[in-house]
Every structure is written in structure tokens, then in C-alpha cells.
Amino acid sequence: MSRIGKKPVPIPAGVKVSVAGTALSVEGPKGKLSWSHGPGLTASVDTAAKAVVIARSNEERQTRSLHGTARSILSNMIEGCLNGYVKALEVYGVGYGVSMAGTKLTLLVGKSHPVVFDIPTGLKVEVQVPQARGETEPAKFTISGVDKQLVGEFSAMVRRSRKPEPYKGKGVRFAGEYVRRKVGKAFAGAGSG
């Protein structure tokens, strides 16, 4: 039996979980999420223990593989509705920057045009330090929301607009991310004479 799948998911104070067939809905102080699990799984709320238990009805390979996944998704939904998820990003590079206008996130990352992203509903983007041309401090912004998958997916998409390059470290990276630096080519004419 799945070690992760058979662990009950505790329901903290302030969070409400309801089950209707295959549909699970979680409501908390930060927001509301709903999700439908696959066939072969059943979810039940144990009000006495204040926990949700995910069980499987058969031992098929597909059902066994989804057992732990369903438990993890439910746990992430509860955590998101209670505390939310935040990803902090930084933009390094001279002339690189970030700005917000309504529901659009605009990045200046050394391309011939600004890279514009439509912010998905359910996410919130905050720009802490917009960068002006010539500054050495990185531009900083955060992406937050209740859905862990949506926050992570949008953050990765923004980072892909200009991955950090290994020579000068310019580009978009997660806060605290280590970028391995390479030594550039030495000047060919130096030392010869």
C-alpha cells in the first residue's frame, strides 16, 4: 500500500473540506479550490479526527500510482487555502527590468521587444524593486496564489523568458538560486609577443 497515500491529511482550523462523489473542494482564509480525483479512489472526511482519508478500491497499477498523488494534491490544496504559495524571482542584468500594468507583467530582458505575460486569474504579482538602466541591484518581484501548480507553472514560464546565462549571470532566476558561472575565453593576443 502507498505509504504517502494511506496517511490521513489533517484539516487545520479555519479550513473547510467537502467531498461530493469524486469532487473535493477546500475553502480557507486565502481562497477556494476544487479538484476531482480519478476513478478507483474514494475520499472521506473524518470529522472526529479532523482529517481527510484517501482510500483505493482496487489494486490496479494505475490506481496505486494515483493514490499518493491524490493525497499530495489534497494536502497542497489545504496548505494553499490556509497560507498560500509564494515564488520570489529576480531579474539580473544592466538595462533589465520588470513592471506591472493592470493584469500584464512586462519584462525587459535584453530582447528587441519587451516580453509581456498575461497574469492568470487567481495569481497576484507584486513588483518590489523595479530596475532602472545601469543599476547593479536586481529587480525583484513575487508571484503568489493558492494553487501550488499554477504558481509554479507561471513562475517557470516567466523564468524561461530569459534563463540565467553562465558567463555574466544575466537573466531571470528564482531568489536564492545558484547560477554556476563559467570563465570566458581569454583574449587571444594577450601575452604573445
Side-chain angles (χ1 to χ4, degrees), residues 19-175:
V19 178
T22 61
L24 291 162
S25 61
V26 180
E27 192 173 347
K30 292 281 184 178
K32 192 175 184 181
L33 289 172
S34 60
W35 175 71
S36 292
H37 59 76
L41 297 174
T42 56
S44 59
V45 179
D46 185 1
T47 52
K50 291 187 180 176
V52 181
V53 178
I54 306 262
R56 60 179 187 246
S57 59
N58 57 49
E59 292 298 315
E60 291 177 11
R61 186 183 182 102
Q62 181 74 13
T63 308
R64 284 185 290 134
S65 66
L66 290 176
H67 190 197
T69 304
R71 191 253 180 222
S72 294
I73 289 172
L74 178 61
S75 177
N76 290 339
M77 287 169 59
I78 290 172
E79 177 65 26
C81 289
L82 184 66
N83 300 319
Y85 289 99
V86 178
K87 288 276 188 185
L89 288 98
E90 298 172 341
V91 183
Y92 284 86
V94 176
Y96 286 25
V98 61
S99 64
M100 278 281 301
T103 61
K104 297 201 181 291
L105 176 69
T106 306
L107 294 173
L108 300 170
V109 286
K111 296 187 178 184
S112 62
H113 58 281
V115 182
V116 181
F117 293 98
D118 288 322
I119 299 168
T121 54
L123 292 185
K124 183 179 176 187
V125 178
E126 291 179 356
V127 177
Q128 280 89 21
V129 182
Q131 187 171 349
R133 299 198 180 276
E135 287 184 15
T136 55
E137 187 183 347
K140 297 178 182 178
F141 63 103
T142 58
I143 299 170
S144 58
V146 294
D147 190 349
K148 185 177 186 178
Q149 182 183 350
L150 189 61
V151 170
E153 195 175 322
F154 185 67
S155 302
M157 190 170 68
V158 169
R159 184 182 177 276
R160 270 195 307 271
S161 66
R162 176 69 80 177
K163 290 182 183 175
E165 55 92 23
Y167 295 101
K168 292 184 180 177
K170 298 192 304 185
V172 182
R173 64 176 94 162
F174 293 111

